[in-house]
Amino acid sequence: MLADTLGRPLRFIVTPGQTGDITQAPALLEDQAGGAILADKAYDSNALPALIASMGATVVIPSNRCRKVAIPHDAAIYKHRNRIERCFNRLKHFRRFATRYDRRTIHFAGFVHLAAAMIWLR
């Protein structure tokens, strides 16, 4: 999921549970603009920071512990990463989203669109 500075959902992609999130990051960032892209350690790779830099944005992704050479990041900006967690928590206020009642992906995605619209209308 991609969220803006205020924690409102911008884009999302529904994937199977065993799929890593980093595989969908380039698709989420396509045609987006921003001053900085914040992500957690799961998004630490060599390709993603290059993509973000080509967008003209600042990369704020901490390095994994297993990385031999740690890549520095701005800790003050990284503190704002909780906005995406707030976005998920707002979506979880909708019981249908939190419990995943829908069996088909298209039905679940449709409800996420509806819930995101309701969040934007507040």
Side-chain angles (χ1 to χ4, degrees):
M1 177 171 287
L2 182 67
D4 67 356
T5 307
L6 300 175
R8 296 176 299 195
L10 295 174
R11 284 187 176 174
F12 71 94
I13 299 174
V14 180
T15 60
Q18 68 272 17
T19 304
D21 294 337
I22 195 165
T23 60
Q24 302 303 315
L28 288 173
L29 293 174
E30 187 176 322
D31 298 328
Q32 293 293 314
I37 305 294
L38 287 70
D40 61 1
K41 291 180 182 183
Y43 292 90
D44 181 26
S45 71
N46 293 328
L48 188 59
L51 175 70
I52 295 170
S54 70
M55 293 170 42
T58 305
V59 179
V60 185
I61 302 173
S63 298
N64 274 332
R65 289 186 299 177
C66 62
R67 188 179 273 271
K68 291 183 181 181
V69 178
I71 299 172
H73 68 282
D74 190 347
I77 296 175
Y78 186 71
K79 289 181 181 180
H80 296 287
R81 198 191 67 78
N82 66 22
R83 308 281 168 90
I84 187 71
E85 303 301 331
R86 290 181 188 181
C87 178
F88 275 109
N89 286 334
R90 283 187 190 131
L91 287 170
K92 287 181 180 178
H93 284 261
F94 299 94
R95 185 175 178 195
R96 186 172 170 180
F97 177 87
T99 57
R100 183 90 195 253
Y101 283 139
D102 300 314
R103 293 184 185 207
R104 294 189 176 185
T105 304
I106 193 163
H107 296 157
F108 180 73
F111 182 74
V112 174
H113 280 289
L114 178 64
M118 292 176 73
I119 289 172
W120 271 88
L121 289 174
R122 289 185 187 171

